[in-house]
């Protein structure tokens, strides 16, 4: 979830603390009572966030999913869950979907570098940003100027893909509220290319000084940044509700790894993408932020893994309870309209898509243990995995 819940959460923190002790016991009992179909014992035993040993059983597979960060939203955590980021690894090639807070450190911790002291990013081939909410790319401004120091062994530039500019602003909510000021009104919702150009200017002092004082390579040499072209599919309108697509959007084919995308429904934030990675060993789909989306169900059809966001609607009820009664339903709708709940993700997304494994990530709230999320398996016949930072999941049977 990307909505700015920070002030609300701070206001609500004391009440939540009081509720937590009672709630944990109740939810655990509910999960047991449901007898969740398809939930793996391994997932249930994965441990609470911050457990010393996440499941890394897939670490020797040729294709694997590595969860770098599983926290939802821009709310700061105690570090057990970092900001949202997922790596798909094929052989030694690393493809990153989103770059939430702390994800660079997780790349190092997961052992995805080359082993060189200045090679944490040497194996990164591509970066794929689902949308322009800060919790999905806050690490990009940190990675951009430091890749010359942490990717000294890069043999080719890193390809970066993300949304293009949006030239329509979403409506002001609730209706009738005065218009807030618009930041950079001449280009108010820049995409990844324009944003990166602005970063280049912002870091001019660092880049120019280092380039003249050493053999430091400028980021221009190390990245190829590209807006995903949807001009033939959709001119994003204020509501931001995407059209149904007939086919996936081709993004990039890197040898035997093929990357495609679709438009998901994170209204009013648009465009928002989900990505699919097909390797010779299988397929992985990463949802980005979305409500239940038929485009995503189509993209994920038959996939080995669907890595999907998940929000607890009961938690949202708790959060909005601080508002006057006549505003609660509006705030609830605002916070839930672009996301997928525990009750929906297995039954309404993973099951109709026929995915073999559903991996929950971008969890809101961030603090409950895995048992809290087990009801997501109700109505889903595949395997449910509650994501945890640094978890590594193997795709297919081929090992390195
Ligand atoms: Zn989000
Ligand atoms: Zn978002």
């Amino acid at each position: 979830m990307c909505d700015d819940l920070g002030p609300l959460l701070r206001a609500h923190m004391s009440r939540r603390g009081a509720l937590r002790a009672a709630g944990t016991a109740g939810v655990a009992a509910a999960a047991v009572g449901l007898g969740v179909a398809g939930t793996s014992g391994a997932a249930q035993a994965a441990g609470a966030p911050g457990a010393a040993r996440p499941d890394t059983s897939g670490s020797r597979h040729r294709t694997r999913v590595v969860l770098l960060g599983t926290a939802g939203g821009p709310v700061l955590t105690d570090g057990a869950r970092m900001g949202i980021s997922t790596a798909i690894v094929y052989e030694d090639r690393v493809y990153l979907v989103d770059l939430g807070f702390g994800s660079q450190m997780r790349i190092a911790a997961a052992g995805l570098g080359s082993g060189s002291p200045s090679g944490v990013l040497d194996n990164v081939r591509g970066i794929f940003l689902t949308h322009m909410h800060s919790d999905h790319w806050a690490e990009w401004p940190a990675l951009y100027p430091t890749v010359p120091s942490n990717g000294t062994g890069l043999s080719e530039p890193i390809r970066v893909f993300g949304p293009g500019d949006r030239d329509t602003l979403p409506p002001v909510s609730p209706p009738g509220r005065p218009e807030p000021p618009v930041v950079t009104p001449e280009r108010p919702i820049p995409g990844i290319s324009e944003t990166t150009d602005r970063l280049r200017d912002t870091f001019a002092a660092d880049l120019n000084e280092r380039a003249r004082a050493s053999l430091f390579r400028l980021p221009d040499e190390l990245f190829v940044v590209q807006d995903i072209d949807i001009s033939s599919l959709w001119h994003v309108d204020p509501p931001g509700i995407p059209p149904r697509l007939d086919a996936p959007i081709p993004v990039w084919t890197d040898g035997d790894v093929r990357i495609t995308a679709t438009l998901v429904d994170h209204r009013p934030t648009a465009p928002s993408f989900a990505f699919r990675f097909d390797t010779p060993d299988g397929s992985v789909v990463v949802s980005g932020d979305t409500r239940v989306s038929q485009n995503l169900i189509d993209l994920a059809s038959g996939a080995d893994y669907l890595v999907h966001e998940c929000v607890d609607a009961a938690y949202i009820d708790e959060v909005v309870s601080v508002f006057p009664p006549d505003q609660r339903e509006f705030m609830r709708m605002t916070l839930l309209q672009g996301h997928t709940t525990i009750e929906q993700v297995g039954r309404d997304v993973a099951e109709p898509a026929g995915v073999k494994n559903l991996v929950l990530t971008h969890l809101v709230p961030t603090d409950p243990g895995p048992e809290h999320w087990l009801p997501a398996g109700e109505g889903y016949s595949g395997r449910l995995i509650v994501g945890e930072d640094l978890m590594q999941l193997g795709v297919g049977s081929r090992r390195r």
Side-chain angles (χ1 to χ4, degrees):
M1 169 164 289
C2 299
D3 309 277
D4 186 8
L5 292 173
L8 286 174
L9 295 179
R10 281 190 288 279
H12 205 53
M13 194 172 294
S14 58
R15 179 162 179 262
R16 177 160 174 73
L19 289 170
R20 186 179 299 146
T24 301
V27 168
V32 172
L34 282 168
V36 180
T39 303
S40 76
Q44 294 183 59
R53 300 177 62 179
D55 177 5
T56 58
S57 57
S59 62
R60 299 296 298 170
H61 282 244
R62 184 171 70 166
T63 299
R64 59 197 195 276
V65 182
V66 183
L67 303 184
L68 299 173
T70 57
V75 177
L76 297 175
T77 71
D78 61 5
R81 295 191 190 276
M82 288 294 185
I84 182 68
S85 185
T86 307
I88 290 83
V89 184
Y90 174 68
E91 296 180 330
D92 290 327
R93 299 186 233 160
V94 176
Y95 304 89
L96 304 170
V97 180
D98 287 331
L99 290 170
F101 316 114
S103 46
Q104 280 196 96
M105 300 299 186
R106 291 290 201 239
I107 295 169
L112 302 185
S114 63
S116 156
S118 55
V120 167
L121 302 175
D122 279 357
N123 294 329
V124 177
R125 298 281 298 177
I127 297 172
F128 304 83
L129 301 179
T130 58
H131 63 297
M132 296 305 289
H133 273 156
S134 62
D135 55 318
H136 290 253
W137 65 278
E139 198 81 0
W140 173 235
L143 189 148
Y144 175 80
T146 55
V147 76
S149 305
N150 294 305
T152 56
L154 279 170
S155 56
E156 295 180 40
I158 297 171
R159 302 286 300 271
V160 181
F161 300 88
D165 291 3
R166 174 179 182 176
D167 61 10
T168 54
L169 286 162
V172 176
S173 295
R177 188 162 66 89
E179 285 263 346
V182 177
V183 178
T184 62
E186 70 284 359
R187 213 164 170 178
I189 305 189
I192 187 58
S193 294
E194 169 67 13
T195 297
T196 304
D197 286 346
R198 297 182 191 186
L199 275 182
R200 183 174 180 272
D201 292 350
T202 299
F203 284 107
D206 177 81
L207 300 178
N208 287 327
E209 288 181 343
R210 290 184 193 277
R212 298 176 84 81
S214 70
L215 299 178
F216 182 92
R217 292 188 292 170
L218 289 170
D220 292 358
E221 293 180 43
L222 299 173
F223 294 109
V224 175
V225 181
Q226 185 175 332
D227 297 340
I228 298 172
D229 182 9
I230 60 166
S231 57
S232 64
L233 302 171
W234 187 30
H235 186 110
V236 179
D237 48 16
I241 302 170
R244 177 82 182 271
L245 300 188
D246 297 330
I249 303 167
V251 177
W252 183 33
T253 299
D254 183 25
D256 42 11
V257 178
R258 180 166 162 265
I259 300 109
T260 51
T262 197
L263 292 165
V264 292
D265 190 345
H266 188 33
R267 64 182 72 174
T269 301
S272 295
F273 296 102
F275 294 100
R276 175 172 176 136
F277 297 77
D278 285 282
T279 82
D281 302 312
S283 50
V284 180
V285 174
V286 183
S287 72
D289 279 2
T290 183
R291 64 194 281 151
V292 173
S293 161
Q294 188 60 49
N295 282 344
L296 175 61
I297 293 169
D298 292 346
L299 186 76
S301 179
D304 291 284
Y305 284 88
L306 171 61
V307 183
H308 202 291
E309 68 131 275
C310 192
V311 58
D312 178 0
Y315 173 72
I316 299 302
D317 290 343
E318 188 185 324
V319 168
V320 302
S321 67
V322 300
F323 285 87
D326 63 335
Q327 296 178 15
R328 285 177 194 163
E329 186 52 32
F330 172 79
M331 286 306 301
R332 184 176 190 277
M333 184 273 293
T334 299
L335 295 171
L336 286 174
Q337 66 176 347
H339 297 282
T340 304
T341 66
I342 296 174
E343 294 75 19
Q344 294 171 321
V345 65
R347 180 192 65 206
D348 299 342
V349 183
E351 183 68 17
V355 298
K356 299 180 182 70
N357 299 278
L358 169 62
V359 184
L360 302 184
T361 190
H362 196 269
L363 299 168
V364 175
T366 59
D367 52 349
E371 72 281 352
H372 185 85
W373 307 96
L374 297 183
E378 192 176 17
Y380 170 54
S381 54
R383 182 171 69 133
L384 174 69
I385 299 166
V386 180
E388 186 176 351
D389 285 23
L390 297 176
M391 187 176 266
Q392 301 208 23
L393 303 162
V395 181
S397 57
R398 174 102 181 231
R399 298 173 76 83
R400 290 189 286 170

